[in-house]
Amino acid sequence: MSAKGSFYITTPIYYPSSKLHIGHTYTTVAADVMARYKRAQGFDVMFLTGTDEHGQKIENVAKAQGKAPKEFLDKVVAEIKDLWKVMEISYDKFIRTTDDYHERRVQMMFEKLYEKGDIYKGTYEGMYCTPCESFWTESQLVDHKCPDCGREVTKTSEEAYFFKMSKYQDRLLDLFENVEGFAEPKSRVNEMVNNFLKPGLEDLCVTRTSFNWGIPVTFDPKHVIYVWLDALSNYVTALGYPEEVDGDFAKFWPADVHLVGKEIVRFHTIIWPAMLMALDIPVPKKVFGHGWILLEGGKMSKSKGNIVDPVVLIDRYGVDALKYFLLREYSFGQDGIFTNEVLLNRLNSDLANDLGNLVSRTVAMIEKYNGGVIKKGSAITAFDASLSALAEETIGKVEERLDKLDFSTALDEIWKLVRRTNKYIDETSPWALAKDEQQKDVLDTVLYNLSESIRIVSALIQPFMIHTSRKIWSQFGLEEGDLTHWDSARSFGLLPEGLQVTKAEALFPRIDVPKELEALAALGAPVEAPQTEEKTSEENVKDKASADVHTAPQPAEISIDDFAKVQLKVAEVVACERHPNADKLLVLQLKVGEETRQVVSGISKFFEPEALVGRKVILVANLKAVKLRGVESHGMILAAADGESLGLLTVDMPSGTTVS
């Protein structure tokens, strides 16, 4: 075991009946970044993914194609593995629920629960959704349809074995209420407690007799073990449980993180912990239910014909660019809207303009002014200390955010250093220093500091963009080792003199967005109609403030009931940047209690982005989301205008506090 211990992260095991889309890759990319990050820190990592291969759906799909289930599955699973290879997913183990060892171990777990009295035989009568493989009571249905997928259900009655899940209701409530961080984000906790636990748990049907494609119960083989006891058990059977408990199981269990989509949080935070409690083994440390990546008009799905193919995007922009976009654009616990325009603008703004331009400019200046050799000057400029301090502080901020699965903010912390380094170029003006021979030592210092800041950035982006890191190292004459490992980012000034830089192609060529949108449309990818820019509340305030006060219409009176409809909350600005497509707009990331919101505000004329970070503002939290120049805005912040000045309404209260 490594000095820092072990780390176990899992994704759901994917259902292999249809092509995986970008929404599936979202979960796996996030898990991959966490695995790479923890390995870089020195942890012994186990990263598990796989496929869920039993059940009536698989049997029906295979039969429709004239194939045996395993024959059908082998082809589809190979395609999934090919996708993970293209995505460069660094999983340590891929489990299939048709693997012999998994089936054998699930049977052993079933027997153990039966012998304990936590599984018993009965008859199930209820409404069954075949696509979701879920039973529902009449009261749980929505418009007489499945509450999860909205499809038709059928009334079913059959002999079945049941797991005494109701026995563990009190322990599950205690888990949610007293174990901090078990289920995240907080919105998922409230949903599970209020919608499922407090109304009362029913015992869970865990076998079926109406189909054969499953793991047979050893002592009653006409029953096959039903999907959730089979599928969820993969997290421990992959480690050897219950046959081998002294090896990987002892090292890695309980899991540090189960990453799941929000639609299966219930199974992972209620059914799975109840099973583990019954087996007398620890529950996972954390289940994180992330949001969906949506297209305009709803969730991605093959049935809607709106799948975004990650392979198409990788072919055009590279795997690093796609991974960066997925984890930078969306707050991991929230839903996000995917559009081609948002993707292309993010790649241009962050990768081509910020990082790519920084590397290209720095290498070009070293070649032009120092013959391509990095020299360590002895002079000091007025801007060195702030750059080096930020560079050394960044790793701690990134680690803090990644440990909380806050990928977007972690990347923004790195990009603060990227932007600060670009600003350092403007502050020191190397081209002006090069014209004065007496400033040669200062020029050497400036070019060295630029190179060193880029080295630290390259070390920190490794978990997200390993190819980009390696391209940067190549341009700066670095080999993977002491100067590129994770902990090397803690110290500024490690680069030795004499390294030879080599100019290469741009890391991320700038994209002609209108032409690329046309190209994507021709490929059959979704393309959005041009958006009409809506004014922000602050722009409207500004317009009204500049109007003739005597002719401005008076606002209509409202009742207290009207006012009560407006939800005002305290929000802390945790990040802020300029809108990629509108000079007047800023894009703010706001912490509202445990939630993170993105708000676009027309206050760029009045505030620098970095000056807003840390301020407590008032958010209109229940305003309908709009898109402003291609960027989603969820709410608005309150401001007051007076002629040519504008101020934000601020308050010294904890974020999330309701304003009343």
Side-chain angles (χ1 to χ4, degrees):
M1 185 179 291
S2 63
K4 288 203 173 182
S6 62
F7 184 81
Y8 183 28
I9 186 167
T10 74
T11 69
I13 49 175
Y14 295 105
Y15 179 71
S17 67
S18 61
K19 185 178 179 64
L20 295 188
H21 54 66
I22 201 170
H24 296 112
T25 69
Y26 187 41
T27 312
T28 313
V29 164
D32 179 64
V33 165
M34 283 301 295
R36 290 176 184 268
Y37 159 59
K38 287 298 180 180
R39 291 187 196 111
Q41 283 189 313
F43 284 83
D44 189 355
V45 172
M46 172 65 74
F47 169 18
L48 176 72
T49 189
T51 43
D52 171 15
E53 302 185 17
H54 290 126
Q56 190 172 3
K57 281 190 294 184
I58 291 288
E59 189 174 64
N60 291 345
V61 171
K63 184 177 180 180
Q65 295 188 16
K67 297 178 180 178
K70 192 64 164 57
E71 178 189 7
F72 162 76
L73 288 164
D74 286 345
K75 180 178 182 296
V76 179
V77 171
E79 292 172 353
I80 292 173
K81 286 186 172 182
D82 285 344
L83 175 60
W84 293 159
K85 186 175 180 180
V86 171
M87 294 288 299
E88 299 180 1
I89 302 301
S90 63
Y91 61 80
D92 296 289
K93 192 162 190 176
F94 189 102
I95 188 171
R96 299 179 60 177
T97 57
T98 53
D99 289 335
D100 290 344
Y101 74 84
H102 172 77
E103 294 188 345
R104 183 175 65 252
R105 291 167 184 170
V106 167
Q107 288 174 325
M108 294 171 67
M109 292 167 66
F110 191 96
E111 290 172 0
K112 187 174 182 178
L113 292 171
Y114 181 76
E115 291 167 3
K116 186 178 179 179
D118 277 342
I119 284 180
Y120 63 92
K121 184 185 282 189
T123 301
Y124 188 86
E125 292 186 1
M127 310 308 292
Y128 182 67
C129 175
T130 299
C132 291
E133 295 188 314
S134 295
F135 285 105
W136 304 98
T137 63
E138 288 281 0
S139 63
Q140 290 174 319
L141 300 179
V142 176
D143 295 330
H144 304 290
K145 295 180 180 179
C146 173
D148 273 356
C149 71
R151 294 181 175 92
E152 298 291 338
V153 294
T154 56
K155 192 167 185 177
T156 302
S157 176
E158 63 181 85
E159 181 182 271
Y161 284 91
F162 292 81
F163 168 56
K164 291 183 179 179
M165 193 162 66
S166 58
K167 174 180 173 180
Y168 296 94
Q169 177 165 328
D170 290 343
R171 287 181 64 182
L172 289 167
L173 267 171
D174 182 69
L175 176 65
F176 276 95
E177 293 174 351
N178 297 314
V179 179
E180 185 67 28
F182 164 67
E184 290 188 345
K186 286 289 187 182
S187 58
R188 311 281 183 252
V189 174
N190 298 334
E191 180 186 356
M192 295 303 109
V193 170
N194 295 328
N195 294 355
F196 297 102
L197 287 174
K198 286 188 175 179
L201 291 177
E202 297 184 355
D203 290 347
L204 181 71
C205 176
V206 290
T207 68
R208 301 292 307 278
T209 58
S210 55
F211 60 90
N212 298 319
W213 183 241
I215 302 172
V217 175
T218 52
F219 53 85
D220 197 350
K222 72 178 181 180
H223 286 262
V224 294
I225 297 171
Y226 182 49
V227 60
W228 292 111
L229 195 150
D230 169 14
L232 291 166
S233 298
N234 88 94
Y235 302 123
V236 292
T237 63
L239 301 179
Y241 183 87
E243 286 182 305
E244 304 165 9
V245 295
D246 296 327
D248 283 345
F249 182 73
K251 180 190 292 186
F252 292 109
W253 193 260
D256 292 272
V257 186
H258 286 327
L259 286 187
V260 301
K262 66 180 184 180
E263 73 278 9
I264 53 174
V265 167
R266 176 170 66 95
F267 307 108
H268 284 80
T269 61
I270 295 178
I271 297 175
W272 178 225
M275 289 167 52
L276 295 170
M277 291 171 181
L279 291 164
D280 298 314
I281 57 179
V283 300
K285 298 174 186 176
K286 184 186 297 295
V287 177
F288 195 101
H290 65 77
W292 291 334
I293 297 181
L294 307 170
L295 293 178
E296 289 187 325
K299 182 183 175 186
M300 293 183 192
S301 71
K302 187 175 182 179
S303 62
K304 293 182 179 180
N306 61 3
I307 290 174
V308 178
D309 188 344
V311 176
V312 172
L313 301 179
I314 291 169
D315 286 345
R316 299 187 76 83
Y317 316 118
V319 67
D320 279 13
L322 179 59
K323 287 182 176 181
Y324 176 85
F325 169 77
L326 289 174
L327 296 181
R328 176 64 184 91
E329 184 67 27
Y330 308 109
S331 295
F332 194 57
Q334 307 300 317
D335 290 349
I337 304 239
F338 176 89
T339 71
N340 292 325
E341 187 176 4
V342 168
L343 167 68
L344 300 179
N345 286 330
R346 175 66 72 178
L347 299 189
N348 269 348
S349 173
D350 293 11
L351 300 185
N353 291 357
D354 289 345
L355 179 60
N357 197 36
L358 172 62
V359 172
S360 295
R361 292 172 76 190
T362 300
V363 170
M365 287 188 293
I366 294 172
E367 285 191 334
K368 182 175 181 179
Y369 304 137
N370 277 348
V373 177
I374 295 175
K375 299 178 181 179
K376 195 170 188 178
S378 58
I380 298 174
T381 81
F383 311 104
D384 299 348
S386 62
L387 176 65
S388 61
L390 179 61
E392 291 182 336
E393 292 168 1
T394 298
I395 186 172
K397 296 175 182 177
V398 172
E399 289 176 335
E400 179 184 1
R401 302 323 305 175
L402 284 180
D403 287 340
K404 295 179 180 179
L405 302 170
D406 187 356
F407 301 101
S408 182
T409 306
L411 282 167
D412 188 58
E413 293 293 347
I414 300 172
W415 251 250
K416 286 179 183 177
L417 178 56
V418 173
R419 292 190 292 267
R420 178 66 188 87
T421 309
N422 274 312
K423 184 179 179 182
Y424 180 78
I425 295 177
D426 298 331
E427 291 169 336
T428 57
S429 303
W431 49 88
L433 295 172
K435 295 177 181 178
D436 186 350
E437 186 60 33
Q438 293 184 354
Q439 297 293 315
K440 183 63 173 69
D441 194 34
V442 179
L443 177 62
D444 290 345
T445 293
V446 169
L447 296 179
Y448 177 87
N449 289 343
L450 290 172
S451 303
E452 179 65 348
S453 187
I454 291 170
R455 178 192 68 81
I456 289 176
V457 168
S458 72
L460 295 176
I461 63 173
Q462 290 180 76
F464 302 89
M465 310 166 71
I466 186 59
H467 294 291
T468 304
S469 293
R470 288 170 177 158
K471 288 177 181 178
I472 292 172
W473 299 336
S474 176
Q475 291 193 52
F476 283 85
L478 291 169
E479 295 182 358
E480 290 189 55
D482 291 343
L483 294 176
T484 64
H485 65 64
W486 184 259
D487 282 338
S488 73
R490 301 187 191 281
S491 300
F492 191 92
L494 300 183
L495 268 180
E497 284 192 293
L499 291 175
Q500 181 78 39
V501 301
T502 306
K503 191 167 181 60
E505 292 181 355
L507 293 175
F508 298 97
R510 184 163 179 79
I511 300 167
D512 184 326
V513 174
K515 288 184 179 180
E516 188 66 9
L517 287 172
E518 292 179 4
L520 290 173
L523 288 170
V527 59
E528 293 70 43
Q531 298 293 317
T532 301
E533 182 178 358
E534 298 184 37
K535 287 188 176 181
T536 66
S537 60
E538 291 80 7
E539 289 177 313
N540 285 324
V541 167
K542 187 69 174 60
D543 289 343
K544 291 175 183 177
S546 62
D548 184 341
V549 69
H550 297 292
T551 59
Q554 295 298 310
E557 289 187 348
I558 63 172
S559 70
I560 190 66
D561 292 333
D562 293 327
F563 180 75
K565 296 176 182 178
V566 181
Q567 185 182 60
L568 302 177
K569 289 197 172 185
V570 178
E572 180 180 357
V573 182
V574 295
C576 183
E577 60 185 19
R578 298 190 184 281
H579 193 294
N581 303 311
D583 293 338
K584 294 181 180 180
L585 303 180
L586 294 180
V587 182
L588 300 94
Q589 303 299 326
L590 304 178
K591 182 181 179 184
V592 190
E594 296 297 323
E595 180 188 2
T596 300
R597 289 280 195 97
Q598 177 172 283
V599 171
V600 179
S601 181
I603 57 176
S604 178
K605 177 180 176 181
F606 305 96
F607 299 98
E608 290 297 319
E610 57 269 20
L612 294 176
V613 175
R615 297 183 68 171
K616 301 283 186 64
V617 297
I618 306 299
L619 171 72
V620 181
N622 60 336
L623 190 67
K624 183 179 179 180
V626 296
K627 184 176 291 184
L628 302 175
R629 287 287 183 91
V631 175
E632 197 80 7
S633 182
H634 297 265
M636 72 176 185
I637 57 176
L638 297 187
D642 180 16
E644 289 300 313
S645 65
L646 183 140
L648 293 178
L649 302 187
T650 61
V651 62
D652 187 17
M653 293 289 287
S655 71
T657 302
T658 298
V659 179
S660 59

